[in-house]
Amino acid sequence: MRALPIAVVAAAAALTLTACDSGGSNSDSDGGKKASTASSAAASTACKIDQIGIQVGPANVAPAAGDTGNVPVTLTNKGAQCTLQGFPAVKVQDSGTGTDVPEEKSATPPKLTLAASGTASFTITYVRGTAGDGKSLAATTLKIGLPGAATTQSFKWSYGPLAGKTGPNDPNASVSSFQPAGD
């Protein structure tokens, strides 16, 4: 695994963001994983996807089957101060099927307050699969949502097939919690 040092750094960085709802021109209504909000007050200040800009990459692409890659995702608040808590909802899809990327097991997500124009990030860590292998997902689309929200934004997945642990619907991948980014 050539990318191990980067994976460790990315995993550490990914442990600090919280739930936000981001919307944009590429939004659709694919619920994916939904985190519940601790209280109605928290729900009223939760970041909304239509007020969040999302940038995917640049990635540390896994060059060959069995290698680990990392895809950083940066969120920018385009609205009023809001909070992120939990994990982003991340789904990868091929032309017909899709699967949720599981949350990083060791991560305890902090609650982040994202100021207007503030940024946060999370990281998708994955193992590259083998094209045509029955255990790999030939992913072409990445869908990102915020905890508790049904709306997602779609992005092109250009990082190769995603290895499965037991099959294409059990990805050898994880998503970190939200982390503070920027200054």
Side-chain angles (χ1 to χ4, degrees):
M1 303 224 288
R2 300 173 213 169
L4 184 59
I6 293 173
V8 172
V9 170
L15 294 176
T16 49
L17 273 188
T18 313
C20 207
D21 186 14
S22 99
S25 60
N26 294 332
S27 66
D28 59 37
S29 291
D30 183 356
K33 293 179 281 184
K34 296 177 185 171
S36 62
T37 309
S39 70
S40 60
S44 66
T45 62
C47 296
K48 307 292 184 226
I49 200 158
D50 63 344
Q51 296 177 358
I52 298 291
I54 299 178
Q55 178 182 346
V56 177
N60 171 26
V61 178
D67 288 342
T68 300
N70 298 291
V71 181
V73 179
T74 303
L75 309 172
T76 302
N77 185 4
K78 296 180 177 182
Q81 178 175 300
C82 60
T83 58
L84 290 171
Q85 186 166 4
F87 289 86
V90 175
K91 185 173 196 162
V92 287
Q93 289 186 279
D94 64 9
S95 60
T97 61
T99 188
D100 293 330
V101 175
E103 298 166 355
E104 189 176 83
K105 292 183 188 316
S106 63
T108 302
K111 181 176 182 177
L112 296 179
T113 300
L114 198 56
S117 300
T119 59
S121 66
F122 65 89
T123 302
I124 303 164
T125 301
Y126 72 101
V127 174
R128 187 177 184 131
T130 302
D133 177 352
K135 288 177 67 174
S136 298
L137 178 69
T140 56
T141 303
L142 171 67
K143 292 188 175 190
I144 298 172
L146 300 176
T151 304
T152 62
Q153 286 190 34
S154 296
F155 300 89
K156 182 178 180 180
W157 177 269
S158 58
Y159 313 113
L162 191 63
K165 294 176 187 173
T166 60
N169 293 321
D170 183 22
N172 193 350
S174 65
V175 60
S176 70
S177 63
F178 297 104
Q179 303 296 311
D183 294 341

